[in-house]
Amino acid sequence: MVPMPVSHPKPLQASLAGVGLSLSLHSLLVLNGSVLGVSGLLHSRLESSGPLVPSTGYIGTILAGFLVGVGTRLANGCTSGHMIAGLSRFSRRSFVATMSFFSTAVIVTQFYHRGSLPLTADADWSLGDRSCHVYALTAVLVPLLMAILRLPNRVLEMTHSNKSSLRLGAFKSSLRPLACLLTSFAFGISLSLGSMVDPQRVLAFLVLPFSRAFDPTLAFLAGSALPLSVLLYRYGRPHRPCFGGKWATPSNTKIDARLVGGSVLFGVGWGICGMCPGPALVNFGHALYTGENISVGASWLLSMIFGGFAADRCF
């Protein structure tokens, strides 16, 4: 008899990843005034060992991607925009969206993947082979935190010239694209460190303790990311973004059928495949780098994009 494969929870990796997610989200907000939402980024930009892939086959992958695309477009957000950034702002809209897609994903996972996930063994509290992720994350976050502390501002302000304010404004504006790049990179590293890019580990979390396959790794990620994000949003924001511009936090507070229905559709897609936009992008980038499973990653992303277009046309 072939032994059932086992999975080891990664509490330390996930906790550090949660800190990385929180700091990267906060950095983009404080520096540029923007909210890092991966589904919104994908939709808006496209309108104007090997990689980890789902085990649902092409049909399941395409269906899941399509549902995630429709759902995130209707609900205007996914796990990053609603579950982390939105809940840290105490947004009622994000709370309803999160409860809708999370509960739906749990129900779908219970039925769709019952008995097919590895059993969970003892937790692994080491960093294992992810030490390099921690080093890379630290290297990226250090310049972001320096910018938040306004060290570049102080360097220019020391010139005491009449043109210093103009030069300072131009300098800060030129750093906005760099802030986007570094925060996105830190966010991606954190997703990988916290195992959000592993569909099986995500699904093993969504089965909850009702199953012997339950893996609490992502609970440690959320347990470090959410409290820190709340504290940073409440007490760590300046009066205006450090690199200029206006605050671009969502102002829509409407809770309607579009929000709930979109969140439910997203939850169905998430429960089928265990993938949401951020991890899917990270895995696709890994696939391009290694040359493996490119078609699987591309099929999920393309079906998600098509789902976003379909949502615009039909709703």
Side-chain angles (χ1 to χ4, degrees):
M1 184 176 180
V2 179
M4 188 73 175
V6 297
S7 173
H8 295 275
K10 308 287 185 179
L12 178 59
Q13 294 181 21
S15 298
L16 293 174
V19 174
L21 289 177
S22 178
L23 291 177
S24 57
L25 286 168
H26 183 70
S27 298
L28 186 63
L29 177 66
V30 169
L31 297 176
N32 287 8
S34 303
V35 174
L36 201 165
V38 180
S39 63
L41 177 66
L42 268 175
H43 289 310
S44 62
R45 289 297 180 268
L46 287 166
E47 286 174 0
S48 51
S49 135
L52 298 166
V53 297
S55 59
T56 52
Y58 277 101
I59 295 178
T61 298
I62 292 172
L63 174 61
F66 178 79
L67 291 173
V68 169
V70 174
T72 55
R73 191 61 169 170
L74 292 178
N76 196 31
C78 57
T79 50
S80 57
H82 279 308
M83 183 179 284
I84 300 178
L87 291 184
S88 67
R89 302 193 311 271
F90 295 145
S91 165
R92 291 178 57 198
R93 179 178 166 85
S94 289
F95 177 78
V96 171
T98 299
M99 293 302 297
S100 298
F101 67 66
F102 185 80
S103 58
T104 302
V106 166
I107 293 171
V108 171
T109 304
Q110 299 293 333
F111 288 97
Y112 201 88
H113 296 282
R114 180 182 294 275
S116 64
L117 298 172
L119 299 179
T120 299
D122 295 335
D124 178 3
W125 287 87
S126 71
L127 289 176
D129 59 353
R130 300 297 177 92
S131 298
C132 59
H133 288 66
V134 178
Y135 300 144
L137 186 59
T138 303
V140 175
L141 288 175
V142 165
L144 289 173
L145 295 177
M146 290 175 63
I148 290 174
L149 294 173
R150 302 192 176 192
L151 296 183
N153 295 16
R154 293 189 174 93
V155 171
L156 286 185
E157 287 169 353
M158 289 173 63
T159 61
H160 299 294
S161 68
N162 293 331
K163 297 181 180 179
S164 62
S165 60
L166 294 177
R167 290 162 52 196
L168 179 60
F171 175 72
K172 290 191 295 185
S173 296
S174 69
L175 292 177
R176 289 174 65 86
L178 180 60
C180 291
L181 176 64
L182 291 179
T183 51
S184 298
F185 189 54
F187 193 80
I189 295 173
S190 300
L191 290 176
S192 180
L193 177 62
S195 299
M196 277 290 290
V197 298
D198 184 345
Q200 282 202 335
R201 199 175 291 276
V202 173
L203 294 171
F205 172 69
L206 291 174
V207 297
L208 300 185
F210 309 135
S211 168
R212 292 177 61 195
F214 172 65
D215 186 328
T217 296
L218 300 189
F220 287 91
L221 185 149
S224 62
L226 284 174
L228 180 58
S229 295
V230 170
L231 291 174
L232 290 173
Y233 183 77
R234 293 293 163 184
Y235 305 108
R237 285 184 301 149
H239 293 297
R240 60 176 60 90
C242 296
F243 289 168
K246 299 180 180 180
W247 295 116
T249 52
S251 58
N252 184 8
T253 60
K254 188 176 183 180
I255 298 174
D256 53 13
R258 182 183 178 94
L259 173 71
V260 176
S263 298
V264 168
L265 289 176
F266 167 46
V268 174
W270 194 27
I272 290 175
C273 212
M275 294 294 292
C276 53
L281 276 177
V282 174
N283 281 346
F284 185 60
H286 192 191
L288 291 176
Y289 177 75
T290 61
E292 300 176 17
N293 297 306
I294 295 177
S295 60
V296 178
S299 64
W300 192 98
L301 288 173
L302 289 175
S303 60
M304 180 203 162
I305 294 163
F306 181 75
F309 287 140
D312 285 338
R313 291 296 185 93
C314 301
F315 299 96

mmCIF file of all heavy atoms in Angstrom, residues 144-160:
data_model
loop_
_atom_site.group_PDB
_atom_site.id
_atom_site.type_symbol
_atom_site.label_atom_id
_atom_site.label_comp_id
_atom_site.label_asym_id
_atom_site.label_seq_id
_atom_site.Cartn_x
_atom_site.Cartn_y
_atom_site.Cartn_z
ATOM 1 N N LEU A 144 13.172 50.865 1.175
ATOM 2 C CA LEU A 144 11.801 51.355 1.297
ATOM 3 C C LEU A 144 11.569 52.015 2.650
ATOM 4 O O LEU A 144 10.950 53.085 2.742
ATOM 5 C CB LEU A 144 10.816 50.199 1.100
ATOM 6 C CG LEU A 144 10.685 49.642 -0.318
ATOM 7 C CD1 LEU A 144 9.814 48.397 -0.325
ATOM 8 C CD2 LEU A 144 10.100 50.685 -1.261
ATOM 9 N N LEU A 145 12.072 51.393 3.709
ATOM 10 C CA LEU A 145 11.918 51.967 5.039
ATOM 11 C C LEU A 145 12.732 53.248 5.183
ATOM 12 O O LEU A 145 12.309 54.191 5.864
ATOM 13 C CB LEU A 145 12.339 50.944 6.099
ATOM 14 C CG LEU A 145 11.472 49.691 6.175
ATOM 15 C CD1 LEU A 145 12.025 48.708 7.205
ATOM 16 C CD2 LEU A 145 10.030 50.043 6.511
ATOM 17 N N MET A 146 13.881 53.309 4.536
ATOM 18 C CA MET A 146 14.665 54.547 4.541
ATOM 19 C C MET A 146 13.889 55.671 3.877
ATOM 20 O O MET A 146 13.898 56.821 4.343
ATOM 21 C CB MET A 146 16.002 54.327 3.835
ATOM 22 C CG MET A 146 16.986 53.442 4.582
ATOM 23 S SD MET A 146 18.477 53.121 3.623
ATOM 24 C CE MET A 146 19.137 54.774 3.462
ATOM 25 N N ALA A 147 13.202 55.348 2.789
ATOM 26 C CA ALA A 147 12.403 56.363 2.099
ATOM 27 C C ALA A 147 11.237 56.812 2.964
ATOM 28 O O ALA A 147 10.880 57.999 2.984
ATOM 29 C CB ALA A 147 11.901 55.799 0.769
ATOM 30 N N ILE A 148 10.605 55.854 3.654
ATOM 31 C CA ILE A 148 9.493 56.206 4.537
ATOM 32 C C ILE A 148 9.961 57.144 5.650
ATOM 33 O O ILE A 148 9.249 58.076 6.053
ATOM 34 C CB ILE A 148 8.868 54.930 5.136
ATOM 35 C CG1 ILE A 148 8.138 54.154 4.039
ATOM 36 C CG2 ILE A 148 7.911 55.273 6.268
ATOM 37 C CD1 ILE A 148 7.608 52.823 4.487
ATOM 38 N N LEU A 149 11.182 56.935 6.132
ATOM 39 C CA LEU A 149 11.742 57.808 7.168
ATOM 40 C C LEU A 149 12.226 59.137 6.607
ATOM 41 O O LEU A 149 12.760 59.972 7.344
ATOM 42 C CB LEU A 149 12.896 57.092 7.872
ATOM 43 C CG LEU A 149 12.498 55.852 8.683
ATOM 44 C CD1 LEU A 149 13.737 55.132 9.201
ATOM 45 C CD2 LEU A 149 11.589 56.236 9.837
ATOM 46 N N ARG A 150 12.078 59.301 5.265
ATOM 47 C CA ARG A 150 12.378 60.558 4.576
ATOM 48 C C ARG A 150 13.856 60.926 4.613
ATOM 49 O O ARG A 150 14.208 62.106 4.625
ATOM 50 C CB ARG A 150 11.541 61.694 5.163
ATOM 51 C CG ARG A 150 10.052 61.425 5.077
ATOM 52 C CD ARG A 150 9.258 62.644 5.384
ATOM 53 N NE ARG A 150 7.835 62.359 5.201
ATOM 54 C CZ ARG A 150 6.892 63.284 5.172
ATOM 55 N NH1 ARG A 150 7.206 64.547 5.308
ATOM 56 N NH2 ARG A 150 5.628 62.959 5.010
ATOM 57 N N LEU A 151 14.719 59.931 4.593
ATOM 58 C CA LEU A 151 16.147 60.217 4.547
ATOM 59 C C LEU A 151 16.550 60.916 3.249
ATOM 60 O O LEU A 151 17.370 61.843 3.284
ATOM 61 C CB LEU A 151 16.956 58.931 4.747
ATOM 62 C CG LEU A 151 16.787 58.257 6.123
ATOM 63 C CD1 LEU A 151 17.699 57.046 6.222
ATOM 64 C CD2 LEU A 151 17.090 59.236 7.244
ATOM 65 N N PRO A 152 15.998 60.500 2.059
ATOM 66 C CA PRO A 152 16.345 61.239 0.840
ATOM 67 C C PRO A 152 15.916 62.701 0.914
ATOM 68 O O PRO A 152 16.593 63.584 0.404
ATOM 69 C CB PRO A 152 15.567 60.480 -0.254
ATOM 70 C CG PRO A 152 15.359 59.117 0.301
ATOM 71 C CD PRO A 152 15.157 59.346 1.765
ATOM 72 N N ASN A 153 14.790 62.979 1.539
ATOM 73 C CA ASN A 153 14.331 64.362 1.689
ATOM 74 C C ASN A 153 15.340 65.187 2.461
ATOM 75 O O ASN A 153 15.659 66.327 2.102
ATOM 76 C CB ASN A 153 12.989 64.399 2.411
ATOM 77 C CG ASN A 153 11.885 63.744 1.626
ATOM 78 O OD1 ASN A 153 12.140 63.006 0.690
ATOM 79 N ND2 ASN A 153 10.655 64.012 2.006
ATOM 80 N N ARG A 154 15.849 64.628 3.537
ATOM 81 C CA ARG A 154 16.766 65.378 4.394
ATOM 82 C C ARG A 154 18.079 65.674 3.675
ATOM 83 O O ARG A 154 18.710 66.707 3.905
ATOM 84 C CB ARG A 154 17.018 64.603 5.678
ATOM 85 C CG ARG A 154 15.761 64.507 6.564
ATOM 86 C CD ARG A 154 16.082 63.919 7.929
ATOM 87 N NE ARG A 154 14.917 63.971 8.796
ATOM 88 C CZ ARG A 154 14.048 62.986 8.936
ATOM 89 N NH1 ARG A 154 14.215 61.871 8.267
ATOM 90 N NH2 ARG A 154 13.008 63.109 9.744
ATOM 91 N N VAL A 155 18.486 64.736 2.800
ATOM 92 C CA VAL A 155 19.723 64.965 2.043
ATOM 93 C C VAL A 155 19.569 66.194 1.155
ATOM 94 O O VAL A 155 20.458 67.054 1.081
ATOM 95 C CB VAL A 155 20.086 63.729 1.194
ATOM 96 C CG1 VAL A 155 21.229 64.046 0.242
ATOM 97 C CG2 VAL A 155 20.457 62.574 2.099
ATOM 98 N N LEU A 156 18.432 66.320 0.448
ATOM 99 C CA LEU A 156 18.230 67.472 -0.422
ATOM 100 C C LEU A 156 17.972 68.749 0.365
ATOM 101 O O LEU A 156 18.372 69.833 -0.035
ATOM 102 C CB LEU A 156 17.064 67.196 -1.374
ATOM 103 C CG LEU A 156 17.346 66.219 -2.513
ATOM 104 C CD1 LEU A 156 16.146 66.135 -3.424
ATOM 105 C CD2 LEU A 156 18.558 66.641 -3.310
ATOM 106 N N GLU A 157 17.292 68.615 1.492
ATOM 107 C CA GLU A 157 16.979 69.802 2.282
ATOM 108 C C GLU A 157 18.243 70.433 2.872
ATOM 109 O O GLU A 157 18.253 71.607 3.218
ATOM 110 C CB GLU A 157 16.007 69.431 3.403
ATOM 111 C CG GLU A 157 14.600 69.169 2.887
ATOM 112 C CD GLU A 157 13.701 68.541 3.933
ATOM 113 O OE1 GLU A 157 14.239 68.193 5.016
ATOM 114 O OE2 GLU A 157 12.499 68.394 3.673
ATOM 115 N N MET A 158 19.320 69.676 2.966
ATOM 116 C CA MET A 158 20.566 70.195 3.508
ATOM 117 C C MET A 158 21.234 71.192 2.568
ATOM 118 O O MET A 158 22.159 71.911 2.964
ATOM 119 C CB MET A 158 21.533 69.041 3.818
ATOM 120 C CG MET A 158 21.116 68.185 5.014
ATOM 121 S SD MET A 158 22.171 66.739 5.220
ATOM 122 C CE MET A 158 23.755 67.512 5.533
ATOM 123 N N THR A 159 20.789 71.256 1.311
ATOM 124 C CA THR A 159 21.403 72.191 0.369
ATOM 125 C C THR A 159 21.044 73.629 0.695
ATOM 126 O O THR A 159 21.784 74.558 0.356
ATOM 127 C CB THR A 159 20.948 71.873 -1.068
ATOM 128 O OG1 THR A 159 19.523 72.026 -1.145
ATOM 129 C CG2 THR A 159 21.326 70.454 -1.458
ATOM 130 N N HIS A 160 19.879 73.865 1.287
ATOM 131 C CA HIS A 160 19.444 75.197 1.708
ATOM 132 C C HIS A 160 19.395 76.188 0.547
ATOM 133 O O HIS A 160 19.577 77.395 0.753
ATOM 134 C CB HIS A 160 20.357 75.771 2.806
ATOM 135 C CG HIS A 160 20.375 74.948 4.045
ATOM 136 N ND1 HIS A 160 19.265 74.790 4.853
ATOM 137 C CD2 HIS A 160 21.366 74.214 4.606
ATOM 138 C CE1 HIS A 160 19.576 74.011 5.876
ATOM 139 N NE2 HIS A 160 20.844 73.636 5.743
#
